[in-house]
Amino acid sequence: MPKPTEAKARLLIFDGDCGFCTTTANWIVEHSSVEVAAKPYQWTDLEPLGLTRDEAEAKVQLVWDGLIYSCHKCFAKLLMIQRNPLIRLVGRIVNSKALDGISSLGYDWVAKNRHRLPGGTPACKMPPSV
């Protein structure tokens, strides 16, 4: 369930030190059917958004009209606003309650292996505790 916030923006908060994350965030902004901004957590005043640095550092966050989505719920929301109908369908599948556990595991796998994915660099590697 999303966490409420005072902010009414549509803002994707990501790890700006990660090439994979930056490439993905830029792609999301460019291909979305509605306006959404993306900003590295390192350059964002998180408190007014209802986020802590630890939350933003640990997982991707989406502030959307007063709610905060993180992890796979963030990506599901972002996929559901893409122009391509097949990508929107993938978003609905990722967001389905029946696949919540699998979607969560998928997000965790990508987060742990982002340094191995296209655009990833050794700087993208998550600390062992995450």
Side-chain angles (χ1 to χ4, degrees), residues 24 47 67 115 122 125 128:
T24 302
E47 188 175 335
L67 297 175
H115 62 287
K125 192 169 184 178

Side-chain angles (χ1 to χ4, degrees), residues 17-128:
D17 289 335
C18 174
F20 174 75
C21 297
T22 301
T23 299
T24 302
N26 289 336
W27 190 92
I28 292 289
V29 168
E30 184 178 326
H31 293 90
S32 293
S33 62
V34 298
E35 188 175 334
V36 60
K39 195 169 179 186
Y41 77 83
Q42 295 93 332
W43 304 345
T44 304
D45 185 7
L46 298 169
E47 188 175 335
L49 300 174
L51 292 168
T52 66
R53 182 175 175 88
D54 287 344
E55 290 170 325
E57 205 169 62
K59 299 179 186 317
V60 66
Q61 306 286 333
L62 176 65
V63 178
W64 185 279
D65 295 341
L67 297 175
I68 297 175
Y69 300 84
S70 63
C71 311
H72 66 289
K73 294 296 185 182
C74 167
F75 274 104
K77 183 79 170 169
L78 291 169
L79 292 173
M80 290 188 292
I81 62 162
Q82 296 306 299
R83 291 186 200 117
N84 184 315
L86 292 176
I87 296 174
R88 290 194 308 266
L89 175 61
V90 170
R92 287 193 296 276
I93 291 168
V94 169
N95 197 46
S96 72
K97 288 185 183 192
L99 296 178
D100 195 61
I102 293 170
S103 296
S104 178
L105 289 173
Y107 173 85
D108 291 344
W109 184 89
V110 170
K112 288 177 185 169
N113 292 283
R114 62 190 182 155
H115 62 287
R116 295 184 176 114
L117 298 172
T121 66
C124 302
K125 192 169 184 178
M126 296 294 289

